[in-house]
Amino acid sequence: MRNSRVAYPLTWRVMDMLENVCARIWPASLHRLLPYLMLLPAVVLVGLLVLGLFQIGDASLRVLDTSTFLFSEDYSLENYRQAITSGFFAVVASRSLMGSVIVTVITLLFALPYAYLMVRTQSSGLRKFLLVALFLPFFIGQVVRAYGWLIILGNQGMVNEALGLVGVPPVRLLYNYPAVLFGLIQYMLPFAVLMLAPALTAIPEELESAAGSLGANWVRTFRHIVLPLARPGLVGAGLVVMTLSLTDFAIPAILGGGSQDFIANAIYDQFFRTSNQGLGAALSLMLVAVGSIMVGVVFAVFGAGTLAMTGGRK
Amino acid sequence: MNLSNGARESAAAQAAVSVKNVSMRYDDFYAVRDASFDVPKGKFLTILGPSGSGKTTLLRLIAGFGKPTSGEIFIGGQPVSAVPPHKRVIGMVFQKLALFPHMTAAQNVAFPLKMRRHDARTIADQVERYLELVKLGGFGSRRIHEMSGGQQQRVAIARALVFEPDLLLLDEPLAALDVKLREEMQLEFRRIQKELGVTTINVTHDQREAMVVSDEVIVMNDGLIQQRANPVTAYRTPQNAFVANFIGVTNFLEGPATSVSGNEVAFRCAGHELSGISVGSGPEIKAGMSCSGAIRAEQIRVAAAPEKLADLTFRFTGEIIDAIFEGERMVYEVNVAELGGVSFRVFDHDPIGHTQFLPGERVLVGWNPKDMHVFGNNHSPN
Ligand SMILES: Nc1ncnc2c1ncn2[C@@H]1O[C@H](COP(=O)(O)OP(=O)(O)O)[C@@H](O)[C@H]1O
Ligand SMILES: [Mg+2]
């Protein structure tokens, strides 16, 4: 009879050996710890962020003495008071908040048909085109893209030149609120589409056929079947778009030309222009709070389950 | 029988659905080829065919999801190619049911009524009635994923029927159920269909289901309609080798036809002349043509002693290869050396004697010419 050990292929024996080594280093009794160990990197990263938050919290309570350029030793809420009562910050805050809401609504409005077409089209050519068109902007960074818009929309830009050909005098298309919102929407669209596509893919096409055979035209099929079932995707995409645009820096800075600052721009100015880190820190924390409240409200209204975080629905 | 033109037209008007020369092509592939048939009002028709034979395609065309490449479909006498699905009053139960997961059972059933803008009271009453009809009274508030497969099935049926459609389409809705439940639901379909009298087209690959539920059966293969008949006729007198093979368990003998007279053929197999055999209802057979003779597993008898098969015309010796006990019957695989070693499947119901042959035993198999059908091979569809 042949020796059964020799009969094993070499790779099996190597694997056996490795397994033995692993068992010695990491005995079975420790296996329960493995999941927690894998959580560790994420916990450390988030933990570091929280530490930074404490640092900022500390800074936000110290007031800058403009004569000595030193921060006060003792804590006060002066920075917060200034942030809330100053008309300038109120304008910036409401501009960012309203902007993020408008951007979210319009982006979702545009992204939904795009994602729907991409998921449902019969033609693989069209699907590929839509996918490429979706990913292309990702390869062009935000700043480069904003400059692109400067070239296209500027006073000597392509649009104004084209208008000039038909006799329309140059229009100021840049450095205003609509320009910033436009840039943000254009920037957010791919994110929203990418988050909506899987949600729509998860809706079986047969459900729409069924709705049709039961007497629903496409509008009502969309309203009663597609929209409710796409809700997790819509909520997720909406949250991402809203928080990203609320905290965006480059687009308001470049397309707004300094006249259309969002909160992030104001914070940047405090940190790096006026060097009032206390006030900047206070603004930062208030932004975090506003963002968290917004996410919280969305969860409260739509429920965490809408993000498919509970296992009820198949 | 000669119908006058007017009578034929009124017969077509009587038909709830009338499919005329419908073909459906995907690129250069025909999923349905030149299908024509009528379904009379109130009848239960089953389209029976293997997977990929074009059944779903045909059903979806009737429902209005897609236009036929050529041909026309009439519903209630009216051509419908310009009518979108939501304007055709057709109830459809889909292969995967397609129940709306974000609604309760009652909301699912109420959906078609809501789309038709019935008032809330009518909707509630009607939903109640139809849930009752499918024996789901009291289950209305359940979510779809809280129901068993059989219950979901019933919800789908109730939803397809609640708006009292002219036509009910069933696309293999029972395929996913286990055998017991499936057989129960088949009878349930039949009961509901009889109770409401709704014209129904059912699609299945399960020949048993087709037999059990239908008034009429259409057998399909490769996009082509092979035969249309009532279940008994389709079973007893298959039109071609495909139908003979697809419905029931059939054994085939190959050989040339030696003579044809009227409805009887003689054909030769392994040196034996088998005469007096029925001609299958398919295309004409001529002497010399290569043929298949089909004989069903239950029409062959098996015995050890020749006296037991004295009433059978054809008798050949063979050897048991395999014997399978299926409870209500024995299934034998018999190698018939005398016919060139073909292998026969034989069903043996022996409720009194309980005879059981064992593999290796020498036996006789026998059958009668009238139970055998001969089909010309060059006309065979496959
Ligand atoms: N949208 C489609 N595009 C291309 N081929 C299709 C399409 N739908 C069905 N077919 C083909 O048509 C044939 C019949 O399909 P189907 O009607 O689903 O068969 P069945 O329901 O009898 O199993 C299959 O070969 C299938 O691959
Ligand atoms: Mg099918």
Side-chain angles (χ1 to χ4, degrees):
Chain A
M1 211 179 139
R2 265 164 57 195
N3 184 345
S4 65
R5 280 195 65 85
V6 178
Y8 285 131
L10 178 68
T11 44
W12 289 20
R13 276 181 286 153
V14 171
M15 294 304 278
D16 277 356
M17 222 167 64
L18 279 179
E19 222 165 84
N20 275 333
V21 172
C22 286
R24 204 138 311 152
I25 298 171
W26 188 254
S29 53
L30 290 179
H31 275 186
R32 284 181 312 120
L33 290 180
L34 197 63
Y36 297 101
L37 209 70
M38 287 164 85
L39 264 179
L40 211 58
V43 170
V44 167
L45 282 175
V46 174
L48 279 178
L49 214 67
V50 172
L51 281 183
L53 218 55
F54 277 120
Q55 184 88 52
I56 290 180
D58 177 73
S60 74
L61 294 171
R62 299 174 192 275
V63 186
L64 182 71
D65 184 339
T66 38
S67 52
T68 59
F69 262 96
L70 284 175
F71 285 97
S72 62
E73 283 296 317
D74 47 341
Y75 290 156
S76 82
L77 288 173
E78 175 57 23
N79 286 329
Y80 290 94
R81 195 195 59 77
Q82 200 185 332
I84 289 168
T85 54
S86 135
F88 173 70
F89 291 129
V91 168
V92 168
S94 60
R95 183 191 291 136
S96 330
L97 271 173
M98 204 169 72
S100 68
V101 171
I102 295 173
V103 167
T104 304
V105 170
I106 297 181
T107 303
L108 289 184
L109 231 50
F110 287 170
L112 192 60
Y114 191 105
Y116 185 81
L117 189 64
M118 197 170 76
V119 167
R120 285 283 190 260
T121 178
Q122 298 285 318
S123 138
S124 66
L126 179 60
R127 194 193 331 276
K128 273 180 205 137
F129 171 78
L130 291 174
L131 262 174
V132 170
L134 184 67
F135 275 104
L136 216 54
F138 279 130
F139 302 133
I140 310 165
Q142 206 190 352
V143 176
V144 177
R145 217 170 335 153
Y147 270 112
W149 285 122
L150 289 188
I151 294 166
I152 292 168
L153 299 176
N155 280 352
Q156 272 93 47
M158 291 200 284
V159 173
N160 270 323
E161 243 164 59
L163 286 177
L165 289 182
V166 293
V168 181
V171 188
R172 198 179 136 90
L173 297 170
L174 282 172
Y175 311 130
N176 51 28
Y177 198 39
V180 173
L181 296 188
F182 173 82
L184 279 173
I185 290 166
Q186 200 267 342
Y187 173 59
M188 295 301 165
L189 210 52
F191 291 104
V193 173
L194 272 185
M195 293 201 64
L196 283 176
L200 291 175
T201 313
I203 303 173
E205 202 169 355
E206 225 178 38
L207 291 189
E208 292 168 49
S209 298
S213 84
L214 294 170
N217 58 21
W218 74 266
V219 178
R220 309 182 90 196
T221 300
F222 211 79
R223 200 185 117 194
H224 292 286
I225 309 301
V226 179
L227 275 186
L229 288 175
R231 205 169 77 171
L234 283 169
V235 172
L239 271 180
V240 166
V241 171
M242 199 183 280
T243 43
L244 281 184
S245 43
L246 179 67
T247 56
D248 198 66
F249 175 81
I251 299 228
I254 298 170
L255 294 183
S259 66
Q260 304 295 333
D261 280 356
F262 272 35
I263 300 177
N265 307 85
I267 293 170
Y268 178 88
D269 286 348
Q270 291 311 319
F271 272 110
F272 300 108
R273 292 238 171 99
T274 41
S275 279
N276 189 344
Q277 279 162 27
L279 188 53
L283 285 173
S284 303
L285 283 183
M286 287 166 75
L287 179 58
V288 170
V290 168
S292 308
I293 288 169
M294 254 166 36
V295 174
V297 166
V298 169
F299 274 142
V301 172
F302 297 103
T306 56
L307 288 177
M309 284 183 188
T310 53
R313 200 168 64 82
K314 260 210 298 206
Chain B
M1 190 170 63
N2 254 331
L3 285 174
S4 75
N5 243 357
R8 192 172 294 134
E9 240 139 60
S10 82
Q14 277 297 301
V17 186
S18 175
V19 173
K20 290 218 160 69
N21 308 103
V22 164
S23 295
M24 186 66 183
R25 197 181 63 199
Y26 295 113
D27 300 323
D28 54 354
F29 167 80
Y30 276 92
V32 175
R33 273 182 282 180
D34 199 25
S36 293
F37 61 89
D38 295 332
V39 192
K41 268 207 181 88
K43 291 289 181 204
F44 197 124
L45 173 91
T46 294
I47 301 174
L48 173 65
S51 169
S53 57
K55 309 180 298 288
T56 298
T57 306
L58 193 50
L59 215 58
R60 291 179 66 88
L61 290 176
I62 296 172
F65 307 122
K67 267 199 185 103
T69 313
S70 61
E72 180 62 272
I73 295 166
F74 299 84
I75 296 176
Q78 298 300 312
V80 292
S81 59
V83 184
H86 69 273
K87 295 234 173 91
R88 303 184 184 191
V89 189
I90 295 177
M92 181 155 177
V93 180
F94 288 78
Q95 200 155 359
K96 290 182 193 133
L97 298 188
L99 293 171
F100 304 134
H102 57 301
M103 300 182 189
T104 63
Q107 285 169 336
N108 264 280
V109 178
F111 186 82
L113 301 175
K114 241 173 82 183
M115 291 305 111
R116 287 174 172 73
R117 302 183 197 283
H118 289 279
D119 63 90
R121 262 219 68 92
T122 323
I123 293 181
D125 289 351
Q126 193 81 341
V127 167
E128 179 80 32
R129 240 188 69 199
Y130 275 83
L131 282 176
E132 214 62 71
L133 177 79
V134 296
K135 299 182 177 154
L136 278 180
F139 283 85
S141 57
R142 290 268 186 105
R143 290 247 155 197
I144 297 307
H145 61 82
E146 294 165 350
M147 306 185 100
S148 72
Q151 289 169 336
Q152 294 183 1
Q153 202 74 53
R154 289 159 193 274
V155 176
I157 297 165
R159 188 180 70 172
L161 287 171
V162 70
F163 56 105
E164 291 166 355
D166 311 329
L167 179 63
L168 178 64
L169 304 178
L170 308 168
D171 188 2
E172 305 203 39
L174 301 182
L177 300 183
D178 60 75
V179 181
K180 263 263 165 12
L181 196 54
R182 188 159 66 221
E183 290 177 357
E184 198 177 296
M185 289 303 297
Q186 286 166 2
L187 297 176
E188 194 73 6
F189 271 146
R190 213 183 139 81
R191 172 183 72 82
I192 292 169
Q193 197 268 342
K194 288 265 173 324
E195 210 168 308
L196 302 177
V198 57
T199 314
T200 304
I201 303 178
N202 176 42
V203 151
T204 185
H205 63 261
D206 175 357
Q207 49 119 347
R208 207 198 103 88
E209 179 184 322
M211 299 280 138
V212 170
V213 299
S214 336
D215 297 316
E216 284 202 85
V217 176
I218 283 179
V219 184
M220 247 179 116
N221 187 38
D222 280 341
L224 270 175
I225 292 183
Q226 306 288 325
Q227 180 167 13
R228 184 219 171 123
N230 67 48
V232 177
T233 311
Y235 192 88
R236 296 267 177 252
T237 53
Q239 188 129 9
N240 56 41
F242 175 82
V243 178
N245 195 25
F246 194 70
I247 305 184
V249 175
T250 305
N251 301 291
F252 286 96
L253 289 176
E254 307 291 332
T258 49
S259 69
V260 185
S261 61
N263 266 339
E264 293 191 349
V265 200
F267 100 116
R268 196 166 47 234
C269 179
H272 295 272
E273 179 98 354
L274 308 180
S275 59
I277 299 167
S278 334
V279 176
S281 41
E284 199 188 343
I285 293 173
K286 295 193 183 67
M289 210 158 128
S290 118
C291 293
S292 303
I295 178 80
R296 294 206 185 277
E298 73 274 18
Q299 285 166 327
I300 301 175
R301 268 161 53 202
V302 54
E307 313 85 73
K308 293 223 169 145
L309 303 181
D311 53 336
L312 300 177
T313 311
F314 302 141
R315 286 189 301 266
F316 299 99
T317 54
E319 183 191 332
I320 303 278
I321 301 295
D322 201 359
I324 301 153
F325 178 63
E326 281 193 353
E328 80 274 22
R329 69 183 177 198
M330 290 296 299
V331 179
Y332 293 114
E333 198 174 322
V334 185
N335 183 301
V336 188
E338 250 187 294
L339 290 173
V342 291
S343 199
F344 270 10
R345 201 83 82 74
V346 181
F347 294 158
D348 187 30
H349 295 254
D350 184 11
I352 316 285
H354 300 297
T355 321
Q356 269 194 29
F357 299 104
L358 298 173
E361 266 186 83
R362 296 199 64 75
V363 289
L364 284 167
V365 290
W367 66 93
N368 275 322
K370 72 167 177 52
D371 293 326
M372 194 163 193
H373 293 93
V374 170
F375 307 103
N377 269 348
N378 40 356
H379 289 281
S380 154
N382 38 6

